Amino acid sequence: MKTMQDVLQTLVDQDLDQYREVIDYCGTRVTADEGIPAIIGLDDLTGSWDKTYEGAKDDEELHMMMAAGALIFASLYEQKTKEELGHYPAIAPAMSAVAERFFTVDENGDEVQYREVVKDFLKK
Amino acid sequence: MNRFDMESFVKLVARDKRTFEMLRYLINNSYIRVVNYHNTNTSNAERYDAEIKYYKEHFAPVRMKDLDTFFETGKWPYEKPGLIPAIFEGFRNHYDVMLPILDKYEFTGWFYLPSFFMDVPLEEQLAFSEKHELDITDRNMYPDGRIAMNWDEVRDIASRHEICCHSGTHYEITKETPDEDMYREIVEAKRHLEEKIGREVQVFCWLYGEEYNYNTRAHKYLKEAGYKYVLSNLKLEKIK
Amino acid sequence: MDKKNLLEQFVQSVAKDKRTLEMFRYLVNNAYIRVVNYHNTNDRDIQRISREISYFSEHFVPVRVRDLDTFFETGKWPYEKPGLIPAVFEGYRSHFDIMREILDRYHFTGWFYIPAFFSEVPAEEQYDFCMNHRLRTRGEYMYPDGRIAMNGEEIARLSENHEICCHTGTHYEITEETTDEDMYREIVASKKKLEEYTGRPVDVFCWLAGEEYQYNKKAQKYLRMAGYKYVVSNLKIEKIV
């Protein structure tokens, strides 16, 4: 299983093309008709500043990869113009790209992209 | 940024406050997967079936009480991570297409309804949807013109799924929205929905997904209405 | 422990508190300012304080409220040197007699955070007032007449070269449970009192125990009503209008 270190290492190795490819794919989705994955924060505004949580066992290591991935996607979306981003801040499409790229893991611990789920229905 | 340069990378990610917030949620396990749906037309039924089937295998469905538990105990109560299919706008095709699929796999959907859409007379619904940015992609699906769910359908969904308020008329609430509009779209919208389904509505969802602290003027109304959670496009915030 | 675990542990610990990443972001985005906090400025410390202010004046620029206005408006710090704010808390008389004199000598601007109604307490009750309002002073040895607080006239003169900021009315801790009446007195009436002395607008409010603007939803109404421009907490200066 990859850790945040691995993902950051990937970044240092300049392999951003995979991330750009995910961004391009995300741009082809039809939001009015398709299920669009996202990851949203859960925040207790009635709680303390330093409240932390324990997640699902199946997500134990994936969440750190998602965290590193969110920064990478955010940095790439930050380079787009306001017109390209539309209504939303760069982090919003970035979180959707994170959900697309790191949707879940298979039995080998490799991440499964969301498009795998709908692969039979993708437009050619 | 073709060659990796830590400094410009950090500057880019630091531009928006929310980027670090999201980083923190991911690191601290305070996040949840959501898949957003708008139109669920018959032509895509097989695709939705494949998606919900996959969710059922890999994720736990999420009820409101699971979130309450999560915030109370600081621990996600299942082995599998949670996933929320979030179904927006109260379209009739949700009832006809999405609901049977969710029921088939016993997976919980969260339906975000503009509460006054259901009351619009048949013949005016299309015009209403155009005026209020409720984008219909298959105009021929219902020859009788009813594109919104009716209240019987909503009640049926409410008996086994989550119903959330998505303003009254799919209205964009900004910092400049007059008080009476805020009251109608936040408070009356909730009460109307509750009256119709006979059940408490705990989640409010803005249009364009601004978060709770963005609109401080709306706090008063969210509080008066008695919502427990506010959903934006980046967060689900517990406010009471 | 191997390197991998160290990184994960490091990341997890900086993510624990919301504010850590916020502060990191301020630093990366150049949105920060140096502050040196002072409370008592007694005569036995004159040399040390003089040395500090002299050092500040060599390496930093003094900061006026209007410099912050410019900074937020243009997104650019307007000077070559970074800014530094000597923040002088509680409105003690020694600030007028000692701190003001030192700051003026080096042409450096102090920001004085004053609980507005402290100045009105009769001299003979001021020591008790300090004890009851968490004003940690031993100023009694300096002033045999018992007056510990600056009076209105001193505050007015201080405001000629320095920034006067409101630090509540009675050094009062404002919480979510504070009544409306108390909020009004400590946030709104206190500002009016200071403005009465100085004849200038007071733009800055500073809480006790340094909670930030978003912390107290109920107080936001009064901060707006009073017309403050900035709220100072121990981690931030927030522009609120």
Side-chain angles (χ1 to χ4, degrees):
Chain A
M1 170 90 49
K2 291 197 204 101
T3 62
M4 186 176 230
Q5 173 101 10
D6 296 320
V7 180
L8 285 172
Q9 191 62 49
T10 311
L11 187 65
V12 177
D13 295 343
Q14 307 167 32
D15 188 8
L16 289 175
D17 286 347
Q18 287 183 42
Y19 289 88
R20 292 201 177 97
E21 191 275 328
V22 172
I23 288 176
D24 289 345
Y25 168 74
C26 288
T28 67
R29 298 172 308 180
V30 182
T31 56
D33 292 325
E34 297 176 14
I36 307 294
I39 291 176
I40 62 171
L42 296 174
D43 204 338
D44 184 356
L45 299 183
T46 68
S48 66
W49 287 98
D50 56 357
K51 196 169 169 190
T52 60
Y53 297 87
E54 199 180 316
K57 208 172 146 290
D58 290 0
D59 255 2
E60 232 165 26
E61 293 182 54
L62 191 59
H63 76 109
M64 286 302 222
M65 285 164 60
M66 294 194 289
L71 295 187
I72 297 169
F73 281 121
S75 74
L76 292 173
Y77 276 109
E78 282 289 355
Q79 295 170 64
K80 292 189 182 280
T81 63
K82 274 217 155 60
E83 290 70 43
E84 288 174 295
L85 287 168
H87 261 305
Y88 300 106
I91 185 63
M95 292 306 287
S96 185
V98 168
E100 163 61 35
R101 171 93 163 72
F102 303 99
F103 194 60
T104 182
V105 283
D106 63 19
E107 50 280 5
N108 304 320
D110 292 326
E111 68 259 20
V112 176
Q113 301 198 12
Y114 190 80
R115 77 184 88 166
E116 278 299 305
V117 180
V118 290
K119 59 177 184 293
D120 298 338
F121 307 94
L122 294 179
K123 289 174 290 290
K124 289 293 172 290
Chain B
M1 202 178 72
N2 271 323
R3 286 186 58 79
F4 180 71
D5 158 9
M6 184 56 103
E7 199 162 323
S8 55
F9 170 73
V10 169
K11 275 191 177 153
L12 282 169
V13 300
R15 234 149 76 167
D16 194 316
K17 291 182 186 188
R18 293 162 289 196
T19 304
F20 281 124
E21 280 178 4
M22 298 319 289
L23 173 71
R24 182 175 175 269
Y25 293 134
L26 289 168
I27 292 171
N28 282 336
N29 305 304
S30 48
Y31 62 87
I32 200 152
R33 286 169 182 76
V34 175
V35 181
N36 294 320
Y37 292 90
H38 289 83
N39 288 272
T40 58
N41 297 330
T42 315
S43 54
N44 288 320
E46 279 181 57
R47 178 188 173 117
Y48 306 137
D49 190 285
E51 289 175 276
I52 308 297
K53 181 167 183 272
Y54 188 89
Y55 305 161
K56 180 65 180 179
E57 285 164 17
H58 296 85
F59 299 96
V62 182
R63 298 303 308 235
M64 199 75 68
K65 63 175 174 3
D66 296 323
L67 281 188
D68 296 340
T69 307
F70 178 72
F71 282 118
E72 221 170 90
T73 64
K75 189 176 178 325
W76 182 245
Y78 308 105
E79 290 272 308
K80 291 180 182 171
L83 184 147
I84 299 175
I87 303 144
F88 288 90
E89 329 295 31
F91 293 138
R92 183 175 176 186
N93 56 39
H94 300 162
Y95 186 79
D96 293 336
V97 178
M98 198 49 154
L99 180 70
I101 300 172
L102 290 168
D103 286 344
K104 176 172 158 195
Y105 296 106
E106 295 179 321
F107 211 80
T108 311
W110 289 38
F111 292 81
Y112 291 90
L113 311 185
S115 334
F116 305 132
F117 187 23
M118 281 77 226
D119 296 328
V120 176
L122 290 200
E123 60 280 6
E124 293 168 27
Q125 287 191 0
L126 202 58
F128 183 91
S129 75
E130 274 164 10
K131 190 172 162 218
H132 298 271
E133 294 185 58
L134 297 158
D135 300 329
I136 285 285
T137 53
D138 183 356
R139 286 167 176 255
N140 304 321
M141 196 161 151
Y142 297 110
D144 69 355
R146 179 164 73 83
I147 51 177
M149 286 190 270
N150 63 33
W151 286 114
D152 282 336
E153 290 165 344
V154 174
R155 272 188 288 273
D156 188 25
I157 292 179
S159 69
R160 51 197 186 280
H161 296 274
E162 301 294 350
I163 301 285
C164 312
C165 182
H166 190 33
S167 83
T169 61
H170 207 240
Y171 189 95
E172 184 179 4
I173 296 159
T174 69
K175 290 174 178 171
E176 285 75 40
T177 300
D179 287 325
E180 60 174 285
D181 292 338
M182 284 223 187
Y183 186 82
R184 182 188 66 242
E185 298 291 331
I186 299 174
V187 184
E188 284 178 9
K190 177 176 188 274
R191 290 181 185 157
H192 185 60
L193 202 48
E194 289 174 335
E195 200 178 288
K196 292 293 186 184
I197 66 173
R199 196 173 118 187
E200 201 189 343
V201 171
Q202 297 188 317
V203 180
F204 183 79
C205 173
W206 312 98
L207 265 68
Y208 303 123
E210 291 294 358
E211 60 224 64
Y212 180 67
N213 274 326
Y214 169 76
N215 196 329
T216 46
R217 269 192 61 234
H219 288 179
K220 185 167 105 187
Y221 299 101
L222 290 163
K223 201 169 160 181
E224 181 174 347
Y227 291 104
K228 201 167 176 182
Y229 297 103
V230 172
L231 178 85
S232 54
N233 66 345
L234 290 172
K235 306 176 182 175
L236 182 66
E237 295 169 293
K238 181 173 186 292
I239 62 168
K240 86 161 193 188
Chain C
M1 181 172 294
D2 64 25
K3 268 190 181 165
K4 254 181 198 179
N5 284 339
L6 266 178
L7 178 70
E8 306 288 298
Q9 200 184 45
F10 165 76
V11 168
Q12 226 136 19
S13 65
V14 300
K16 189 174 168 196
D17 191 312
K18 292 180 184 187
R19 291 163 295 195
T20 308
L21 288 171
E22 270 179 18
M23 297 321 288
F24 179 67
R25 179 177 175 268
Y26 289 131
L27 291 167
V28 172
N29 281 340
N30 306 306
Y32 61 88
I33 199 150
R34 287 169 180 79
V35 174
V36 179
N37 293 322
Y38 294 89
H39 289 81
N40 288 291
T41 57
N42 293 330
D43 54 0
R44 62 169 180 217
D45 298 319
I46 290 177
Q47 283 192 314
R48 182 175 55 79
I49 297 170
S50 300
R51 173 76 196 99
E52 289 174 83
I53 306 295
S54 144
Y55 186 90
F56 300 161
S57 72
E58 282 166 34
H59 297 88
F60 300 94
V61 290
V63 181
R64 302 301 310 231
V65 170
R66 63 171 178 274
D67 295 322
L68 283 191
D69 296 343
T70 307
F71 178 74
F72 282 113
E73 214 175 278
T74 63
K76 187 175 178 323
W77 183 246
Y79 307 104
E80 289 281 308
K81 290 180 184 173
L84 185 147
I85 299 174
V88 191
F89 284 88
E90 325 296 30
Y92 297 134
R93 183 176 176 184
S94 65
H95 299 163
F96 184 80
D97 292 341
I98 291 169
M99 196 57 165
R100 179 187 61 108
E101 193 278 319
I102 298 170
L103 288 166
D104 286 348
R105 195 189 322 147
Y106 294 104
H107 305 285
F108 216 75
T109 310
W111 289 36
F112 292 82
Y113 293 92
I114 302 174
F117 305 126
F118 186 22
S119 59
E120 290 183 312
V121 176
E124 60 278 12
E125 293 168 24
Q126 288 191 356
Y127 185 74
D128 286 342
F129 182 89
C130 288
M131 294 303 110
N132 295 330
H133 292 83
R134 297 202 284 160
L135 294 161
R136 292 162 299 155
T137 184
R138 290 168 40 78
E140 76 280 9
Y141 78 94
M142 259 183 73
Y143 297 107
D145 69 355
R147 179 163 72 83
I148 300 167
M150 276 187 276
N151 59 32
E153 194 188 320
E154 288 164 344
I155 293 172
R157 281 188 51 202
L158 189 62
S159 75
E160 290 164 11
N161 290 328
H162 302 276
E163 301 293 353
I164 302 296
C165 311
C166 182
H167 190 32
T168 77
T170 64
H171 207 243
Y172 191 92
E173 187 174 2
I174 296 160
T175 68
E176 294 264 24
E177 282 72 45
T178 301
T179 63
D180 286 304
E181 189 191 340
D182 291 344
M183 287 235 186
Y184 184 86
R185 185 189 63 240
E186 298 293 332
I187 298 174
V188 186
S190 55
K191 179 175 190 275
K192 289 189 176 139
K193 176 94 260 172
L194 289 174
E195 289 174 342
E196 222 172 80
Y197 288 148
T198 65
R200 299 177 168 81
V202 169
D203 290 329
V204 181
F205 181 79
C206 174
W207 313 97
L208 262 68
E211 291 296 356
E212 60 220 63
Y213 181 63
Q214 294 290 7
Y215 167 76
N216 193 323
K217 306 257 183 279
K218 195 170 152 196
Q220 290 175 8
K221 180 170 119 191
Y222 294 96
L223 289 164
R224 265 203 304 265
M225 185 193 297
Y228 290 105
K229 259 179 161 161
Y230 296 100
V231 172
V232 176
S233 56
N234 59 359
L235 288 174
K236 305 177 183 174
I237 296 180
E238 294 169 295
K239 183 172 185 299
I240 62 168
V241 289

